[in-house]
Amino acid sequence: MFAETDEYKSFVEAVFMQSIRSKVPRVFSCEDGFSLTELMIVLVIIGILVLLALPKLMPVVTKAKATEAKLQLKQVHTLEQAYKFEHDKYSTSLSEIGFEQEKLVPQGGQARYKIEIVTADDKSYSALATAVVDFKQQWSLQCLGGG
């Protein structure tokens, strides 16, 4: 009878464990990895979040890239003013005023804007920054008279 009792206990424990396993969610299952459906759902959610965030981030990215052009045109302005004080005229050459164009992105560099002096004479000059990648923006700087 003792053997029957141990068998009975084992049977009851097995039935009890089976019923608990069927009612408890399979959070801690022995299976490794995720199903293809779960991965696809996660990718769709990430895609939706990116689509929601992208329009809000684009003006920030554009503004940051435009800052590069503005800073380079400001440097050209400073160099042109120094050149004007020495030579009584503005220069049409970037190298003549001491401005070195950094390598552009298409040439393996990091500069996104090509800087050029469009016109220059005794009284004024005009410089232009043209985007070579992304948004194809142009920024211009015109200086008339003494400053």
Side-chain angles (χ1 to χ4, degrees):
M1 182 145 191
F2 185 74
E4 289 178 15
T5 311
D6 284 340
E7 287 177 15
Y8 178 74
K9 283 183 183 179
S10 296
F11 174 73
V12 169
E13 285 177 2
V15 170
F16 177 73
M17 291 304 291
Q18 184 68 25
S19 67
I20 286 183
R21 284 186 188 139
S22 66
K23 292 179 181 165
V24 174
R26 298 180 68 192
V27 175
F28 301 108
S29 68
C30 296
E31 298 174 18
D32 292 331
F34 300 101
S35 71
L36 182 60
T37 307
E38 292 169 332
L39 291 174
M40 293 301 289
I41 289 171
V42 169
L43 288 176
V44 167
I45 291 171
I46 290 172
I48 291 170
L49 291 175
V50 166
L51 287 175
L52 291 174
L54 197 59
K56 293 182 182 185
L57 292 177
M58 288 309 290
V60 175
V61 172
T62 303
K63 187 176 179 180
K65 290 178 180 179
T67 301
E68 176 189 347
K70 291 176 184 178
L71 288 173
Q72 288 184 348
L73 288 174
K74 188 174 183 179
Q75 183 182 5
V76 168
H77 177 71
T78 302
L79 293 170
E80 281 282 11
Q81 291 299 319
Y83 186 86
K84 166 95 166 133
F85 289 136
E86 269 187 54
H87 300 93
D88 293 326
K89 66 175 184 168
Y90 292 108
S91 174
T92 57
S93 169
L94 290 173
S95 60
E96 201 171 67
I97 63 172
F99 182 84
E100 286 188 34
Q101 173 73 53
E102 190 177 335
K103 274 189 173 182
L104 300 171
V105 172
Q107 300 164 344
Q110 294 188 3
R112 297 180 178 278
Y113 289 89
K114 181 178 187 227
I115 307 297
E116 56 188 329
I117 298 173
V118 181
T119 60
D121 56 30
D122 295 346
K123 299 189 188 283
S124 66
Y125 74 93
S126 176
L128 183 68
T130 306
V132 293
V133 291
D134 295 338
F135 304 110
K136 300 295 182 195
Q137 293 179 332
Q138 285 191 338
W139 295 89
S140 63
L141 170 68
Q142 292 182 341
C143 182
L144 303 172

